[in-house]
Amino acid sequence: MLREFIFKANKTITSSNINLKDLPGSCGRLDLVCRCVSSAFFLSHDIRRDVVFYAVFYGEPNPPVAIKFVGGELKKVSPDERNIAIFIKKALKKFEETPENKRTEWIESTPGICVSKKEFREIILEKKNEGKRILYLHKAGEDFENVKIGENEDVVFILGDHIGIGEEDEDFLEDIGAEKVSLSPLELHADHCIVIVHNILDKRFK
Ligand SMILES: C[S@@+](CC[C@H](N)C(=O)[O-])C[C@H]1O[C@@H](n2cnc3c(N)ncnc32)[C@H](O)[C@@H]1O
């Protein structure tokens, strides 16, 4: 079973001009993206190879930019935020160096990390069209503990940053039949949601 996450980063910078000493401020909450990547993949002395994580950046100067991380292919990435930010900086640099007419495909930057000019909704729709189940993580959804998932079923989780995903994308998810699922009666950080999702699925299937 493949676990995929698609994260909307409303304000994250879309140039490689990343100040590694200011991930939350001038980089538009890049710290949060890095923590989500860390939570998506890293176990103690191991990596989750059955996970794919997408982050779509909508900050200035060139939105959108999507970055894809493939657990089974990642090399030399470590769990700390600064290390992950360095790989994201490399991906954005690769994007800038790619001719504009080639940017709509996935371009590999470093092993297991690709970059593309894809919209948040476009990636979700691709997954839907592949027949995958789309689960939107939201405080007001159905309790995830009660949601049945087959052991071999591929699931795609959608989540937002500190701002959320916005009304238009929520309407889009409703239109394509995404299921709204809740992890807690409290509003959580996105990276903590990823940890909880893994924990619930690990207890069921590992
Ligand atoms: C900090 S929250 C976003 C808060 C934002 N103000 C909003 O209204 O959406 C970040 C993301 O985590 C997910 N999330 C937060 N709390 C959750 C919960 N209790 N259950 C499921 N997902 C949750 C949602 O996808 C949300 O977009």
Side-chain angles (χ1 to χ4, degrees):
M1 167 193 193
L2 192 62
R3 298 179 194 173
E4 293 182 89
F5 297 89
I6 306 176
F7 174 72
K8 185 175 181 186
N10 292 284
K11 301 286 180 193
T12 304
I13 187 168
T14 48
S15 95
S16 64
N17 189 20
I18 284 174
N19 177 357
L20 294 169
K21 291 188 178 146
D22 187 25
L23 301 182
S26 59
C27 299
R29 296 310 312 267
L30 184 56
D31 62 318
L32 184 53
V33 178
C34 296
R35 281 199 294 280
C36 285
V37 172
S38 187
S39 299
F41 293 106
F42 291 99
L43 295 162
S44 180
H45 303 294
D46 205 358
I47 191 159
R48 292 181 184 271
R49 291 175 183 80
D50 56 353
V51 172
V52 178
F53 178 87
Y54 298 84
V56 189
F57 297 179
Y58 280 93
E60 293 301 325
N62 195 22
V65 176
I67 304 189
K68 172 167 75 163
F69 302 77
V70 181
E73 298 171 16
L74 289 176
K75 291 213 168 67
K76 296 192 178 163
V77 184
S78 63
D80 65 284
E81 283 173 42
R82 190 173 184 280
N83 174 283
I84 295 165
I86 290 170
F87 280 92
I88 290 174
K89 188 177 168 83
K90 285 182 190 175
L92 290 168
K93 185 93 185 126
K94 181 80 182 178
F95 183 77
E96 288 163 354
E97 288 165 359
T98 303
E100 272 189 37
N101 63 346
K102 302 229 165 89
R103 289 181 181 175
T104 50
E105 297 305 313
W106 287 111
I107 310 144
E108 190 170 60
S109 149
T110 50
I113 304 180
C114 297
V115 63
S116 175
K117 187 148 201 77
K118 284 189 192 286
E119 296 277 0
F120 180 63
R121 290 186 205 175
E122 194 182 340
I123 300 172
I124 298 170
L125 212 47
E126 279 173 17
K127 302 295 165 192
K128 176 76 186 169
N129 291 338
E130 287 167 12
K132 293 180 177 170
R133 197 159 156 197
I134 311 292
L135 303 178
Y136 171 36
L137 296 175
H138 192 281
K139 191 176 74 165
E142 165 79 19
D143 186 343
F144 189 43
E145 300 276 7
N146 301 329
V147 175
K148 286 202 171 63
I149 292 176
E151 188 162 0
N152 295 314
E153 192 173 17
D154 290 336
V155 276
V156 182
F157 298 92
I158 311 298
L159 67 170
D161 62 4
H162 58 298
I163 296 170
I165 67 165
E167 215 174 296
E168 282 186 12
D169 284 336
E170 286 202 329
D171 291 345
F172 162 78
L173 287 177
E174 202 177 320
D175 289 348
I176 65 162
E179 298 160 71
K180 218 186 227 188
V181 296
S182 175
L183 302 167
S184 163
L186 304 177
E187 190 80 52
L188 305 172
H189 287 295
D191 54 320
H192 297 172
C193 291
I194 294 172
V195 171
I196 295 173
V197 164
H198 277 324
N199 185 249
I200 292 172
L201 295 178
D202 289 347
K203 284 191 288 184
R204 285 192 204 173
F205 302 123
K206 297 280 180 188

